[in-house]
Amino acid sequence: MYDKEILGFFHLYGLMIGVGLLAAFAVLFYTAKKKKFDEKFIDFVFYNGIVSIAVGFGAAALFQAFYNYIENPAAGFKVGEGITFIGGLIGGIVCFLAVYFIFRKRYKTRLIDVVSALPACIIIGHAFGRVGCLFAGCCHGEPTNAWYGITMNTIEYGRAKVVPVQLFEAIFLFALFAICFILTMKKDFKHNLSIYLTGYGLFRFIIEFMRDDPRGEFLGLPPSQFWAIVMIFAGVGVYFLTEYLMKKRKAELEAAENLESVETKKTEEEK
């Protein structure tokens, strides 16, 4: 496996990132159509998503630069020497929420109304991104002679047979996407974000033991394991937060419906 050029300038890693982004937005619009979400709000989510993705890539580079600096301060703080997905996820989510709270008063729909559909979009994009990592020879596992090893051009060892951690992660993410997508479409399930955070956090913590792609240390742990633990706890917290926001939103909609009913009745009486 290697990051082959196509037509002289396309790289398979970049191509997979592009496919992942297209798949993410395709899932968003398909789900929105089937679930009959407000079109204007979904357009807002789309443009907000584009901005947040751009910010996320910047955050991914900054997080990795920070880890590199902690590991070797003498080398200085240098941006552009690698990226980390979890750093990008954190930066993207913070940006998305910030933009949402700035503009939410323009829309009747709230984020809680569509939040069940968003994790599937993130997961499918992430899955294709890991396929890109497989082609690029980054984020791989340790050298091995096991039957499941794959020979690839790695950054650390040159051409070597290693544990294809990227492939394992991609398979896990595609399966997780299928679960969340089905739960959204068939069961109208509201806690997919919790499933994603806790499920991926646990998987990433475990799979990190098979990785051989040094990214420095953070508080005595590989950065990905530290943030994986944070994701697990965040997933539990998000479950209860979602329950609270759903009850609050239901009360708001019922109050609005009752007010509209009273106003309609008053108008009919005046006639």
Side-chain angles (χ1 to χ4, degrees), residues 170-215:
I171 292 172
F172 171 81
L173 288 167
F174 279 121
L176 188 62
F177 162 75
I179 292 171
C180 289
F181 186 71
I182 292 172
L183 286 174
T184 297
M185 302 305 295
K186 302 295 185 181
K187 302 296 183 179
D188 198 28
F189 189 68
K190 301 297 185 182
H191 295 288
N192 280 332
L193 185 54
S194 292
I195 287 180
Y196 172 53
L197 291 173
T198 54
Y200 179 69
L202 181 60
F203 178 85
R204 185 59 185 269
F205 185 88
I206 294 172
I207 202 72
E208 200 69 18
F209 288 109
M210 302 177 68
R211 291 258 309 247
D212 190 24
D213 183 24
R215 299 295 178 109

Side-chain angles (χ1 to χ4, degrees), residues 256-268 270:
E257 185 178 346
N258 291 335
L259 180 60
E260 183 179 355
S261 178
V262 170
E263 290 179 348
T264 300
K265 185 177 180 180
K266 183 177 179 180
T267 300
E268 291 177 351
E270 290 176 352

